[in-house]
Amino acid sequence: MIPRIDVQKLISRDADTLAALRDGAQGVGFLTVHNTNISSARMRLVLAAYRAFFDLPDAEKSKIDMSLTGSNRGWGGTQSEQVDPSANPDYKQVFDSGFEAPDTGLSVYASNLWPARPEGFQQIIEAYYRDALKVAHAILRGIAEAIGEDPAFFEDKFRRPMALLRGNYYPPRPDWAGEKDFGIAAHTDYGCLTLLGTDGVPGLEVLLPDQSWLAVTAQPGEFIINFGEMLEMWTDGQIKATLHRVRGSQDERISVPLFFNPNFETNVAPKNAEQAITAGDHLSKRFNETYVHLQKAG
């Protein structure tokens, strides 16, 4: 039901792989991909770095608390986000870093905040970020071709990408959790493409057309791909943004999404739209609706 894509075949423009990519992007809105430039061992190293950070005392993590900033850089404690206004704030911790261009004065390009510990954390995460961007680029080129555009259609629109890398830590679901409590409540992603690495612990669920929820997993070294509302709008509905959630379980879970989004000034309105919609305005609006510290600032 969810296509499994060999990224090397996608790069070589294999016809069957492009067809499977098109089916997944236009159907369920999810894919899994493998055979990338990121090995299982490399992904386990990244996951271990995030785990070591989240294991630090809150007092130490709070030194880089994003709630003290006007951006989404650094650590966010439990219930620092609320993706669904009808649910309670999400029961997880996060660490966000991304593309830096502080000279712009734009919060989506803010300087990253790095912890003093664990040792080597910044170097591991920055190196992974660079390689994950390459995987995302390759998939987006395939998406362009799959929907009838030139494979290079997106290239000049991602030179200063609003690409956010996140470590998510989902603690075991607490005994007090009720029907409005989630690791992350049902939502569609805000941007274009999400490249999700995980530790293999189940948790992610995808809403199918029949309104049932399908569990989706990937072992370290394989990735889950989904598409956001910005790309759905930009392609005039050719690509589907699908609701998904993490309810939480008795097991803790770490996931590492790369939210791959275009340059701030990119017009992401459908082709024949009369009014432009900049990617930055769309993303900033959605961030302000989601991050609790930005809600309070608004």
Side-chain angles (χ1 to χ4, degrees):
M1 183 173 293
I2 293 179
R4 185 170 182 264
I5 303 294
D6 183 322
V7 171
Q8 298 309 312
K9 288 185 178 180
L10 182 63
I11 291 171
S12 66
R13 301 170 70 183
D14 175 74
D16 289 342
T17 302
L18 283 168
L21 177 71
R22 182 187 308 111
D23 289 346
Q26 295 181 339
V28 68
F30 270 75
L31 314 163
T32 63
V33 301
H34 66 285
N35 197 16
T36 74
N37 63 330
I38 300 172
S39 67
S40 173
R42 174 78 176 288
M43 194 68 224
R44 292 181 190 279
L45 176 67
V46 172
L47 291 162
Y50 279 117
R51 185 178 299 279
F53 170 74
F54 288 121
D55 280 346
L56 294 172
D58 284 0
E60 185 165 353
K61 288 178 288 191
S62 67
K63 294 175 183 177
I64 52 167
D65 191 334
M66 70 173 68
S67 69
L68 304 176
T69 76
S71 65
N72 52 354
R73 296 291 194 270
W75 175 66
T78 302
Q79 299 182 316
S80 59
E81 290 185 350
Q82 186 177 20
V83 298
D84 180 356
S86 67
N88 291 328
D90 303 326
Y91 194 68
K92 68 180 189 301
Q93 296 181 43
V94 303
F95 179 86
D96 287 354
S97 58
F99 191 94
E100 294 178 297
D103 57 297
T104 64
L106 298 169
S107 64
V108 291
Y109 291 134
S111 297
N112 291 318
L113 302 176
W114 297 105
R117 294 194 301 157
E119 185 177 354
F121 180 81
Q122 179 178 350
Q123 291 75 17
I124 291 170
I125 302 308
E126 286 182 329
Y128 175 78
Y129 179 79
R130 290 191 294 269
D131 288 340
L133 287 177
K134 295 174 185 176
V135 179
H137 269 292
I139 296 166
L140 203 56
R141 282 193 291 271
I143 289 292
E145 188 163 1
I147 63 173
E149 296 286 354
D150 186 287
F153 173 78
F154 292 109
E155 290 298 311
D156 63 339
K157 303 168 182 69
F158 282 79
R159 288 177 178 157
R160 289 166 67 116
M162 296 182 293
L164 186 76
L165 182 65
R166 159 168 291 185
N168 284 320
Y169 170 70
Y170 296 97
R173 184 173 172 83
D175 293 339
W176 49 258
E179 289 303 309
K180 291 188 175 184
D181 294 300
F182 296 88
I184 184 168
H187 66 288
T188 53
D189 286 355
Y190 305 153
C192 280
L193 181 151
T194 303
L195 175 79
L196 178 71
T198 84
D199 59 5
V201 175
L204 177 65
E205 297 177 331
V206 176
L207 186 65
L208 299 178
D210 66 2
Q211 301 304 297
S212 65
W213 291 94
L214 174 69
V216 184
T217 59
Q219 294 302 310
E222 298 200 9
F223 298 88
I224 299 167
I225 303 293
N226 67 282
F227 308 98
E229 57 197 43
M230 185 189 296
L231 191 60
E232 183 176 74
M233 174 175 62
W234 198 358
T235 62
D236 203 14
Q238 291 188 77
I239 305 300
K240 184 176 180 181
T242 301
L243 279 169
H244 52 286
R245 69 185 186 186
V246 174
R247 184 172 177 81
S249 70
Q250 293 181 341
D251 298 316
E252 64 179 15
R253 176 175 178 266
I254 290 181
S255 69
V256 184
L258 172 72
F259 302 108
F260 191 51
N261 304 309
N263 311 336
F264 186 96
E265 70 279 1
T266 302
N267 179 14
V268 295
K271 275 187 176 180
N272 298 318
E274 294 182 2
Q275 186 171 352
I277 301 172
T278 67
D281 288 344
H282 169 81
L283 211 56
S284 296
K285 176 178 180 293
R286 299 297 275 128
F287 285 160
N288 289 341
E289 292 169 347
T290 300
Y291 289 89
V292 172
H293 72 284
L294 296 180
Q295 291 172 0
K296 293 175 180 176

